[in-house]
Amino acid sequence: MKTKETLATKLIKRFYGVQGVLDEYRRQELYKIGNTGFMVMFYYALISNFIVLFVFSLDNYKHTEDILMWYISANMIFLICGICGYIIFTTKRKHLIENEVEIKDIKSQKRRLIYGSIRQGIFFGIVTFILDGMMSPHFSNLTSQHSIWAHIIEGTFFGVGMYFFQRMNLKKVQ
């Protein structure tokens, strides 16, 4: 009898890229990785906020826009390169996101990855197109031919990238 996954399990599998069954060992290791990443991010946020407030007070609030842009950029770089890089590196090193597939099922698994990657690419392209259009002045990017083609290309590259990332995690088992 197959048990239904809870929302928390689905979110963990989606966030970390786990395919297949999320057993107790994987779950505990992912919790450890997530907790470590959160603790680093928490202390980074405390220290960086203190530094920004200190710089604001020294500057007498003259260059607030420039300081905030640097602060936001540094936060994005830290999150993308630091925390996400740590999570990807650690889950790969501990073999937590590998999908073990029998050799006879490898073709069907590759086909499933292709269809999943196509869906991911289409979803990514549509969502970025809508969000970009909503943020443009007078919603002008929703009708722009250039914007439509750019988001089609973005969705294609995202789908191809997701296919290769998931394909690398397939592990053939005898």
Side-chain angles (χ1 to χ4, degrees), residues 11-35:
L11 288 174
I12 290 170
K13 286 175 69 173
R14 172 69 66 172
F15 182 79
Y16 289 104
V18 175
Q19 300 171 3
V21 179
L22 182 64
D23 56 359
E24 195 61 33
Y25 169 73
R26 280 185 179 177
R27 182 183 298 270
Q28 293 301 323
E29 290 298 315
L30 291 174
Y31 283 159
K32 287 179 189 176
I33 293 168
N35 287 340

Side-chain angles (χ1 to χ4, degrees), residues 6 16 24 27-28 33 62 70 84 87 101 111 115 150:
T6 63
Y16 289 104
E24 195 61 33
R27 182 183 298 270
Q28 293 301 323
I33 293 168
K62 293 178 186 171
W70 279 102
C84 293
I87 289 172
V101 178
R111 191 174 306 118
Y115 292 137

Side-chain angles (χ1 to χ4, degrees), residues 134-151:
M134 288 173 30
M135 289 187 274
S136 65
H138 307 293
F139 302 107
S140 61
N141 281 355
L142 288 175
T143 58
S144 167
Q145 198 74 7
H146 178 285
S147 177
I148 292 171
W149 282 106
H151 290 287

Side-chain angles (χ1 to χ4, degrees), residues 74-160:
N75 283 342
M76 294 299 290
I77 290 170
F78 177 77
L79 285 174
I80 292 170
C81 297
I83 301 298
C84 293
Y86 164 74
I87 289 172
I88 290 171
F89 176 75
T90 308
T91 53
K92 280 192 163 297
R93 186 173 50 88
K94 292 187 176 191
H95 306 287
L96 296 174
I97 57 175
E98 288 181 349
N99 188 12
E100 296 178 353
V101 178
E102 293 183 16
I103 294 177
K104 63 182 179 180
D105 296 333
I106 196 77
K107 280 195 176 223
S108 64
Q109 190 69 15
K110 285 182 184 177
R111 191 174 306 118
R112 189 183 69 79
L113 287 180
I114 289 173
Y115 292 137
S117 300
I118 290 171
R119 283 194 313 268
Q120 289 172 338
I122 290 171
F123 179 76
F124 180 81
I126 290 172
V127 168
T128 56
F129 173 71
I130 291 171
L131 291 176
D132 185 40
M134 288 173 30
M135 289 187 274
S136 65
H138 307 293
F139 302 107
S140 61
N141 281 355
L142 288 175
T143 58
S144 167
Q145 198 74 7
H146 178 285
S147 177
I148 292 171
W149 282 106
H151 290 287
I152 289 173
I153 293 170
E154 285 176 9
T156 303
F157 278 122
F158 184 79
V160 169

Side-chain angles (χ1 to χ4, degrees), residues 117 120 155-168:
S117 300
Q120 289 172 338
T156 303
F157 278 122
F158 184 79
V160 169
M162 292 308 296
Y163 171 75
F164 284 120
F165 179 75
Q166 293 171 356
R167 176 72 177 90
M168 288 186 321

